[in-house]
Amino acid sequence: MAVRLLKEVNGAPDAQIGTHLRRAYLNELTLDFDCTDKYIQGTILLKYPPSKLGTGQSILKLVLQAHATDQSATAAATINTFIFGKLVEMCTDTIHQGDSVIFVGFTVDKSPTAEKDGRHRCQLELSEEVGTMIYVYGKSSSVEGVAEQITESRSTAVRQKYTYTPLNQLKSGSIVNVYGVVKFFKPPYRTKGTDYCSTVTLVDPSGGKLTCMLFSGSPDTLPKIFKVGDIVRFHRLKIQEFNKEVQGVTSPGFSTLTFDGILGASLTPRTTSKRYCFTDEDKKMVDMLRNWAVTSSVVSEPTIQLLSVQPMQYFDLTCQLVAKADVDGASVLLKVWDGTKCSYPSWRVFVEGSALEGDEAFIHKLCNLTVDILVYDNHTLETKCLKPGMFLRIYNLHAKCGLRTPADVQCLEFYLHGGNSYGRGIRVLPDESYDVTELKKHLDSVDLQQYQDLEGISLLEWDNTLTGPLSQDKVCLNVLDRCQQESATVVTSHHHLNSVPLSTVVKEKAPQKYRIRAKMKSYEPQKLYQSIKLYCPRCHALQDIPSDEDLETALKKSMDGRHSTDFHNSSWYWTASWNTEPPDHREIVIHFVKKEEIQENSGKTLILIERVNLVELRRLSEKFGGIIPVKSCDQLSLGDLCIPFFIQGRHWHYGCKNCSILQNVNHIPSLNQEELLEPSAIAGVLGIQPLQYAFLMKFTLEDESAVLEAYLWDEAEKFLRMPASDVIADHALQEKLQTLMRMLSPPGRNIEDRPWLECCIKSYCIEEGGNRKVCYQVFDTIIAEDDC
């Protein structure tokens, strides 16, 4: 029985819940908390009406409060709790506000609303799938007759049958369960905030394709995908629209299973949950997808052995770590082998023997089979937990042409460059995985003796011949230089111009156009979100995006003055209102623009909103398709243009105060149904000149001859290969922008160790304080495709 009613005797339940269980307190809960054999106890502070997800699955939200005497009785002594599936029906009429409860069998996930509601940063999730038991206890007078109802409800309950949606039938706004084959993925990486993100692209026999952006506070709770071709099962995946394509994101209760895509491999999943449901139908689905992936050749496996590596190739490598060492404070050396010998000589990175972490005898024994990999930037953090002997998969490894041996043979250098493009990263493979099992068999079969006495000079001996000052310089240059001699940017025009030193640029009169080759000494602003401005294409005014404090002040000001109810309900909208709790005690008013099926699909509904604060505005923007903030005094009208005139999810649209001639909101009914959620159409009828999001950065460039400051402005989106309007609303693009700038100007590196930038620069004059000033701007230049 999943729900039990207990009587309370002297403040305690009259039945034992199991002596093997240990009580967990709210202040103990983290994303990696082990929920096995634990229970949570507290009081129901709030209970919300039950609802349904897009899949039809029932969901019930509760707020659990810790008892005042608990260890967890702190500022975050309440926690959001979600109940899924059959349990909802059993709990709806059984659990009430004020009841004391005990939860056994639960999972912990990140609460997306913690900053807004001030509750615990985690949330509890309960379902039959994780084996939940709920104990409800109160005074004896409250339990008579209800126990029989629960017993009867439980006896007729059956295990929930999950429905899986083909990828070609996904619709925005729904929450679904899906199976798919991994076509592309990025291992979990840290965003600019505290979250981790993993990108996964799925395909299936329906011909559909779905890209998922999965966020979590811990990398351990994201899908454990190791390679292209893996099979995944996602439960409670939210589908939304981005750039006119459907996209999957996590939602409350999200869970995942991952299976190896190899035919005949184990059906034991890699899972983020301690308990999960896996039926015979699931086994058939995994087998079907494995066969389909092989026969349809939809997945091209990029993993190859060292034996097959060619110069300038990018590939995934499954290997064993033999040794590692810090090289120069900015890179880490990994010595690895996969049981095959690279067809080309590979460069040996010079490090002191004492710096190597690993078995010295084993390192020497494998010296002709290992290759040296230099790991840079964000990936150096991933290497801190690596230990010699671990099995790894290294993604998007670069085999670059290096110096030639004394016999004029091409030498290969192996680099794992910074950033997360193309799924670049490192993952530790579990010993029980199929690939590790096969690799172990191969490594055990290698005859190491045949590699001990190679014909001619060995690579180790060749390295040891480089003992003179000149050779040492070459080694150090090669370690630090990697791809810096190649340009991180390329020019898109003016190829007929020869590169000139910066000293020539600063000496000549403006206006001129130049082609230069320099390195980025620094850039401004360092806080990259400040590089995105609001720009008016009509009057060319440039302004900062209003801060949260500015918006809160403007919204509060719009509440001042007389509020009229004369404008509640009209021929083209209907009105709803409610009062907030004291001490604020104000009336919030929403005007719903009339259209078909308004109540069935709020995600396509336009509303006009009055008397809200910033937190409330953000919450509403997540629910409704479009929001226009207004105020009502003598008439219903737009508020201050410090506030966005139109809000669509994370896209907030501002208007120019100088160029806008505000019109009455009663012009909105002139829009047709398709235009009601179009920002340009809304701006047109309201007389607003929309502001555009635009980048503005200042680069300090340096070469051997001079230093020069140049602005990135008119062609910034072209240079960065991303629109500012998308970056401001997308965490993944914000992370990509940060990665790009760190690539152009790596923190902690000397100028000699930074990449070259090939740019077109134009000079021009401006008036400043009555004086003419020469400025410089980057143009006709883009960041190179990630080939470095």
Side-chain angles (χ1 to χ4, degrees), residues 405-419:
T405 70
D408 198 35
V409 177
Q410 182 66 65
C411 177
L412 289 187
E413 303 166 7
F414 294 92
Y415 297 104
L416 183 66
H417 303 298

Side-chain angles (χ1 to χ4, degrees), residues 559-703:
M559 301 178 199
D560 295 341
R562 184 174 63 87
H563 167 60
S564 175
T565 60
D566 295 342
F567 308 105
H568 286 201
N569 300 307
S570 79
S571 60
W572 59 277
Y573 63 79
W574 62 274
T575 303
S577 65
W578 67 93
N579 291 321
T580 61
E581 296 180 357
D584 195 11
H585 198 70
R586 58 186 157 78
E587 183 183 23
I588 295 176
V589 182
I590 299 181
H591 307 287
F592 296 84
V593 177
K594 294 180 180 179
K595 61 175 293 186
E596 296 179 1
E597 301 180 353
I598 181 172
Q599 294 181 335
E600 282 79 6
N601 194 347
S602 61
K604 295 184 178 180
T605 300
L606 174 64
I607 65 170
L608 282 62
I609 185 77
E610 295 184 60
R611 304 176 65 77
V612 292
N613 60 32
L614 186 57
V615 172
E616 294 160 346
L617 189 59
R618 284 188 172 135
R619 288 179 182 172
L620 290 168
S621 69
E622 296 173 358
K623 181 175 180 63
F624 292 98
I627 297 177
I628 300 176
V630 296
K631 61 181 180 181
S632 60
C633 186
D634 297 328
Q635 62 179 351
L636 195 63
S637 60
L638 288 174
D640 193 324
L641 286 182
C642 290
I643 305 169
F645 72 86
F646 184 59
I647 298 173
Q648 200 167 35
R650 292 185 176 180
H651 293 273
W652 292 39
H653 301 271
Y654 292 85
C656 179
K657 293 182 179 180
N658 301 326
C659 303
S660 299
I661 303 175
L662 299 185
Q663 303 296 314
N664 196 296
V665 295
N666 289 323
H667 288 98
I668 291 177
S670 64
L671 298 174
N672 60 42
Q673 294 294 311
E674 289 72 24
E675 293 174 329
L676 280 177
L677 296 180
E678 282 293 326
S680 58
I682 294 288
V685 298
L686 296 181
I688 292 174
Q689 170 60 52
L691 294 176
Q692 300 174 356
Y693 288 99
F695 290 108
L696 176 61
M697 296 183 182
K698 183 170 70 174
F699 297 163
T700 301
L701 304 176
E702 180 177 344
D703 66 6

Side-chain angles (χ1 to χ4, degrees), residues 36 53 111 359 381 600 675 782:
T36 307
L53 301 174
S111 172
D359 185 270
L381 297 176
E600 282 79 6
E675 293 174 329
I782 60 174

Side-chain angles (χ1 to χ4, degrees), residues 225-271:
I225 299 171
F226 294 146
K227 65 179 180 179
V228 170
D230 279 353
I231 311 297
V232 297
R233 185 187 83 178
F234 292 161
H235 276 184
R236 294 175 287 278
L237 181 72
K238 183 178 179 180
I239 304 301
Q240 62 185 23
E241 186 173 332
F242 179 73
N243 284 346
K244 299 183 179 179
E245 292 184 357
V246 292
Q247 181 186 73
V249 296
T250 49
S251 70
F254 174 79
S255 65
T256 172
L257 301 181
T258 308
F259 304 85
D260 200 298
I262 301 295
L263 287 173
S266 170
L267 284 172
T268 302
R270 305 187 289 268
T271 178

Side-chain angles (χ1 to χ4, degrees), residues 136-170:
V136 186
Y137 59 100
K139 305 302 180 184
S140 59
S141 59
S142 64
V143 302
E144 296 299 329
V146 184
E148 292 183 6
Q149 176 185 344
I150 296 177
T151 304
E152 180 180 356
S153 173
R154 176 57 182 161
S155 64
T156 58
V158 296
R159 183 176 293 275
Q160 181 173 353
K161 182 177 177 63
Y162 288 93
T163 302
Y164 296 94
T165 306
L167 299 185
N168 67 343
Q169 297 180 17
L170 301 176

